[in-house]
Amino acid sequence: MEKKRKIVLVFGTRPEAIKMCPLVKELKNREKFRIIVCVTGQHREMLEQVLCSFCVKPDYDLKIMEQGQTLFDITEKVLKGMKEIYAREKPDMVLVHGDTSTAFASALAAFYMNIPVGHVEAGLRTYDIHAPYPEEFNRQAIGSIAALHFAPTEAAAEHLIQEGKNKEHIFITGNTAIDALHTTVSKDFSDPVLDEIDRWTGDGRLILLTAHRRENLGQPLYDIFGGIRQVLLEHTDLRLVYPVHYNPQVRKAADEVFAGMDRVRLIDPMEVVTFHNLMERSFLILTDSGGIQEEAPALGKPVLVLRDTTERPEGVAAGTLRLAGTKKENIYKEFKLLVENHEIYDMMSRAANPYGDGTASRQIADILEREAYE
Ligand code: UD1
Ligand code: UDP
């Protein structure tokens, strides 16, 4: 009998989990693999929520999260923790996702132990090492280490080719975010949380906000919230729901700027199936999230990206995303424009999905079955 290929999948944060769970499920259904799921626990509650929603039970959990953790804390603990697990499991390949410090440090540990790495969601670039920070560095570094690159789009693959990576090891698969979205969003989804938000919104327009990026912590976050607040005060039909990231610095800024506004709801991070369906029901999304920039075009939901630059230009080209920057007056101007100008809003609301047809996990599994891993 053919020996099974042992693959360790590593992830640690909410977005990695949402995009890796569909792949875990696909790989576990294939005879050719022995699959080990390892979570670093870079996130705690926000990771648990996703594992629970997708019914994935990890084989290992490094449980590294601390309040206010630094990049040193995460990198050091993941590097050493993964070393032990790789030494015990001796995998044929390690799969990491995207650009988090979990992904970077677990790829680095695999590299130090001469274990081939497959990079899921490879090739996204801003080529500005400070934005997103430290993610742009993480993604480029993983790209240097990876033996196989699973690029979501042609543009991402082109970056890797331009950087001199072997074309034969680059595969355009679409993004597994779309695989996940296909299992979560449904027109007749109903749950008590969303029903209550529907009642609260009434005839108003629902604005969904998320913000958490490290480079926006501090003054930029206050500026962003300040611009949003001003538009909310001028347009009384707007209702804003903000599932606030557990980062204490984000919570403090949100509590301070939106204090006393009864048309604003600050809530805890939402379970992913509910959140995806809330996106589907929103009028407009304001976010600095990477994943939401991929999901919103597929749902035809206009997004103001609360960043100066994006490694997801496909959504901008498709017309769904507009970069609003982080300056208070820009945010105010862009948000107001979309609330008042129906023509621009309508143009942005056409569903366009540059990120694949929801078969990324299947394609990655097929490639992993047939390719050599050197
Ligand atoms: C990390 C990723 C970022 C990704 C984001 C997704 C890095 C460097 N950053 O940033 O790329 O976009 O996750 O959300 O890898 N916390 C909790 N409970 C949780 C999660 C977080 O309390 O379940 C708090 C902790 O105080 C933690 C802080 O949030 O110290 C920050 O978490 P961290 O993973 O360091 O950074 P993120 O901003 O979440
Ligand atoms: N998301 C969620 N609950 C929330 C907010 C976001 O499930 O309350 C999902 C969202 O749909 C997307 C992912 O989390 O799939 C994005 O995660 P995040 O913004 O934390 O990270 P990023 O994508 O910026 O790396």
Side-chain angles (χ1 to χ4, degrees):
M1 206 177 75
E2 203 185 337
K3 188 176 160 279
K4 290 193 182 213
R5 289 172 149 188
K6 188 188 267 191
I7 300 186
V8 171
L9 292 95
V10 192
F11 49 94
T13 65
R14 170 174 67 191
E16 294 168 276
I18 292 171
K19 295 170 179 179
M20 286 292 251
C21 283
L23 184 56
V24 168
K25 294 195 155 181
E26 181 66 35
L27 291 172
K28 282 197 168 184
N29 279 334
R30 308 270 180 133
E31 280 295 314
K32 290 198 174 173
F33 303 120
R34 161 106 170 81
I35 297 303
I36 310 284
V37 177
C38 177
V39 298
T40 63
Q42 178 177 336
H43 284 176
R44 189 177 299 145
E45 305 87 341
M46 288 163 60
L47 176 69
E48 277 304 318
Q49 275 182 323
V50 181
L51 293 171
C52 183
S53 303
F54 288 100
C55 304
V56 168
K57 203 173 165 317
D59 300 286
Y60 293 95
D61 185 349
L62 294 179
K63 298 194 171 151
I64 66 155
M65 200 199 87
E66 314 169 21
Q67 291 305 324
Q69 61 202 1
T70 66
L71 298 175
F72 292 93
D73 298 327
I74 306 168
T75 306
E76 184 193 0
K77 287 192 216 159
V78 173
L79 191 63
K80 291 190 175 156
M82 288 317 302
K83 176 185 172 216
E84 306 298 322
I85 294 172
Y86 297 154
R88 184 166 335 136
E89 292 294 345
K90 300 186 176 47
D92 297 301
M93 164 151 288
V94 168
L95 290 180
V96 301
H97 181 279
D99 60 9
T100 66
S101 291
T102 281
F104 164 62
S106 43
L108 185 62
F111 174 64
Y112 286 165
M113 297 176 80
N114 288 313
I115 302 164
V117 170
H119 190 195
V120 182
E121 203 185 82
L124 282 64
R125 298 286 186 268
T126 61
Y127 290 113
D128 174 355
I129 211 79
H130 300 291
Y133 173 87
E135 289 84 359
E136 175 68 14
F137 164 78
N138 287 345
R139 208 186 286 268
Q140 288 193 29
I142 300 165
S144 309
I145 289 170
L148 299 177
H149 310 264
F150 303 106
T153 64
E154 244 173 69
E158 194 50 40
H159 293 143
L160 297 166
I161 293 166
Q162 291 304 323
E163 289 169 13
K165 283 152 186 116
N166 185 341
K167 260 187 177 176
E168 291 182 2
H169 298 161
I170 302 168
F171 306 90
I172 302 173
T173 59
N175 196 311
T176 55
I178 305 299
D179 305 13
L181 208 57
H182 280 193
T183 66
T184 54
V185 175
S186 113
K187 286 278 176 229
D188 34 53
F189 177 85
S190 156
D191 87 354
V193 179
L194 284 203
D195 293 346
E196 210 281 309
I197 290 175
D198 277 346
R199 279 196 296 278
W200 176 69
T201 309
D203 295 333
R205 288 181 286 178
L206 183 68
I207 311 295
L208 181 56
L209 168 65
T210 83
H212 72 275
R213 302 229 74 79
R214 261 173 202 267
E215 67 271 23
N216 286 346
L217 296 179
Q219 195 52 46
L221 214 46
Y222 282 89
D223 291 344
I224 290 169
F225 294 161
I228 294 170
R229 181 187 149 91
Q230 210 171 321
V231 178
L232 292 174
L233 290 174
E234 289 172 15
H235 289 270
T236 53
D237 69 318
L238 300 180
R239 302 281 181 281
L240 181 115
V241 174
Y242 179 6
V244 189
H245 194 287
Y246 282 125
N247 189 327
Q249 291 191 66
V250 178
R251 304 214 129 201
K252 183 168 175 286
D255 285 342
E256 283 176 21
V257 179
F258 295 118
M261 296 184 73
D262 59 3
R263 284 183 290 109
V264 172
R265 281 207 173 171
L266 303 182
I267 58 174
D268 283 339
M270 235 181 207
E271 183 279 321
V272 58
V273 180
T274 310
F275 183 80
H276 283 174
N277 284 282
L278 180 61
M279 283 175 73
E280 166 73 8
R281 292 178 192 193
S282 307
F283 173 74
L284 175 65
I285 301 169
L286 312 174
T287 191
D288 66 4
S289 157
I292 294 173
Q293 290 179 60
E294 292 153 351
E295 294 159 350
L299 299 173
K301 289 294 157 185
V303 175
L304 280 185
V305 181
L306 310 171
R307 294 169 56 178
D308 294 314
T309 175
T310 181
E311 66 283 36
R312 272 109 176 160
E314 296 87 350
V316 179
T320 319
L321 314 182
R322 272 170 85 99
L323 283 178
T326 56
K327 300 240 172 354
K328 187 174 172 181
E329 47 296 355
N330 270 18
I331 303 279
Y332 170 74
K333 202 175 81 203
E334 289 287 330
F335 184 15
K336 185 176 155 75
L337 182 76
L338 278 187
V339 164
E340 293 178 0
N341 188 318
H342 299 290
E343 239 166 76
I344 296 182
Y345 178 86
D346 288 344
M347 256 164 32
M348 289 177 72
S349 322
R350 279 188 224 116
N353 173 10
Y355 293 108
D357 57 3
T359 61
S361 303
R362 207 183 317 150
Q363 293 183 50
I364 293 169
D366 289 346
I367 295 160
L368 288 170
E369 282 191 350
R370 68 168 191 257
E371 289 295 315
Y373 292 172
E374 275 81 60

